[in-house]
Structure formats: C-alpha cells, structure tokens
Amino acid sequence: DQQVKQNSPSLSVQEGRISILNCDYTNSMFDYFLWYKKYPAEGPTFLISISSIKDKNEDGRFTVFLNKSAKHLSLHIVPSQPGDSAVYFCAARDYGGSQGNLIFGKGTKLSVKP
Amino acid sequence: EAGVVQSPRYKIIEKKQPVAFWCNPISGHNTLYWYLQNLGQGPELLIRYENEEAVDDSQLPKDRFSAERLKGVDSTLKIQPAELGDSAVYLCASSLERTGGLPGELFFGEGSRLTVL
C-alpha cells in the first residue's frame, strides 16, 4: 500500500500562471514533508520542506501547504516558468519512528508552456 | 562543494551477469542511502547506512543484492546474478543527520541506469 500518493501523473500549465501539485499521505506518524524536483537523466534535487508543526512554508516562488487533518499537502509555484518543467516528487518522513526513512510518491510531471 | 558522485552512469549487461555500482557521498555526510527507481515510480529505499552500519536493509533482496560502506565513506551496491526485472535507475543519496535536530536534506547523485538484456 502506498503511504504517499500523488494522484496526478501529469499537469500542464501556462507560463506565468500558478501550478498546484497535490500529495496525500496515509501515515499519521509522518512529521516531515519534502518536495523534490527531477529533470531527465539527473537525480532528484531538494526543493522545499515543511515540518508537521507548521501549515505553510514559503521560499521565493514556491510555497508548500500542509493540512494535517486531511493528510494532504500541496506545492504552489507562482508564477510558473518553463524551467520549472520537471517531475516533482512528494516525500514524507516519520523521523520519530523506528527507521525515519523517506517515503516517496510516484511523482507528477509538470509541463509549463511558454 | 562536490555533490554525490555515482558510477557508472549507464550499464548494459546480460541476465545472470554480475554488476556493481559505486557511490561517493558528499564529504562529511554520515548517512548514505541506496534507492531504486523504476520507470514512472518514485525512489524506493534499498538500504540506509549511518556511518558504516547498515541500519535499514529490510527492502534489500538479499539473495542477489549486497552492499557495503567500508570506512563509512564510499559505498558499493552489487547485484549477482542480475535478472531482467532489475533494470532500473539506482540512486545514491547522502545526508548529514544530527541527533535531536531536524532531518537532514537528502542530496542525490545522478543515478546509475541499469539495463539487463
């Protein structure tokens, strides 16, 4: 069973508009959430994170929102740029748990069209 | 600062052959991870090292996969013998984990793409 779910395999957005990528999780013990970005033939790179004690974290054009009651987080990119076109992975970690390993979703491929 | 370095980037072998991947983590990072990424999937953890100790290898298929991290720095991941289903990208990552601190950010290498024919 998937503990971290990204139900949209792909998303297409016009340049300058907002991109919203969604992620749901099932394990209520997760206490740290991250977004990674991956270009083809490269490894994933860290984008932004949020601790479970917060409901929002912002870094430039990127904002992550966490709704613990709904076990849902989202990544907002405003404004979207063509260079943002990549696969975005949501990941969660149960840092206080027995292993503390990072669990990844399947990813959402974002295409930003000029 | 140099990133996580992996080699080879690409490897094509026939089934039943052995293969090995090498990873050099970021200097000073105490934790090293090997992940498997199949096409259209997210990375899945194979093994995690804290220094030279494997603290989680529960997802490593131990009948054919082995890993080591001698001296707590570089690491190798070996498959022997390889099967068709092992075709995937093998990602290495490292992080600096501090006791009582926030989880360290994982830095990934570019990956080693394995094709088994």
Side-chain angles (χ1 to χ4, degrees):
Chain A
D1 63 331
Q2 266 191 289
Q3 296 188 66
V4 178
K5 300 177 185 178
Q6 294 178 258
N7 293 320
S8 297
S10 62
L11 174 68
S12 183
V13 170
Q14 205 68 32
E15 180 179 6
R17 307 295 290 268
I18 185 171
S19 295
I20 300 177
L21 296 97
N22 294 304
C23 178
D24 297 293
Y25 61 95
T26 58
N27 187 343
S28 58
M29 298 302 292
F30 286 145
D31 52 11
Y32 197 62
F33 304 88
L34 306 90
W35 285 93
Y36 278 80
K37 174 180 179 180
K38 185 181 183 304
Y39 293 116
E42 294 184 10
T45 56
F46 171 75
L47 191 57
I48 192 169
S49 63
I50 187 167
S51 165
S52 60
I53 62 173
K54 294 185 175 182
D55 54 18
K56 177 183 175 181
N57 188 26
E58 194 171 352
D59 183 3
R61 297 186 296 113
F62 303 91
T63 303
V64 56
F65 295 92
L66 176 62
N67 182 333
K68 282 183 294 183
S69 61
K71 295 190 179 70
H72 177 83
L73 65 156
S74 60
L75 174 69
H76 293 210
I77 307 174
V78 182
S80 302
Q81 299 174 354
D84 296 329
S85 297
V87 177
Y88 289 78
F89 291 100
C90 171
R93 189 165 184 172
D94 172 14
Y95 194 62
S98 58
Q99 301 296 346
N101 293 320
L102 210 55
I103 309 297
F104 286 83
K106 291 186 176 183
T108 296
K109 183 176 182 179
L110 173 66
S111 299
V112 180
K113 301 187 182 308
Chain B
E1 178 182 277
V4 176
V5 179
Q6 291 187 246
S7 68
R9 288 292 313 276
Y10 303 93
K11 188 73 176 180
I12 301 174
I13 61 172
E14 293 189 345
K15 63 180 181 182
K16 300 185 182 179
Q17 294 300 305
V19 64
F21 305 111
W22 174 81
C23 174
N24 179 237
I26 291 175
S27 177
H29 280 192
N30 52 1
T31 305
L32 184 145
Y33 313 75
W34 283 102
Y35 279 86
L36 164 71
Q37 185 175 18
N38 286 303
L39 190 63
Q41 304 291 319
E44 299 173 33
L45 182 72
L46 288 172
I47 189 168
R48 176 167 67 108
Y49 284 93
E50 288 180 7
N51 299 305
E52 62 273 6
E53 182 184 359
V55 296
D56 183 6
D57 62 356
S58 57
Q59 301 303 312
L60 190 72
K62 298 182 185 63
D63 57 336
R64 298 182 301 105
F65 286 66
S66 64
E68 60 182 9
R69 191 184 184 198
L70 299 176
K71 301 180 182 177
V73 182
D74 294 0
S75 177
T76 55
L77 177 70
K78 297 178 182 177
I79 309 174
Q80 182 170 10
E83 296 179 353
L84 294 175
D86 296 332
S87 295
V89 176
Y90 292 84
L91 291 163
C92 179
S94 70
S95 66
L96 178 60
E97 304 292 332
R98 295 184 178 91
T99 304
L102 284 174
E105 174 190 334
L106 266 69
F107 292 83
F108 284 86
E110 293 181 312
S112 294
R113 180 177 292 277
L114 173 66
T115 302
V116 182
L117 303 176

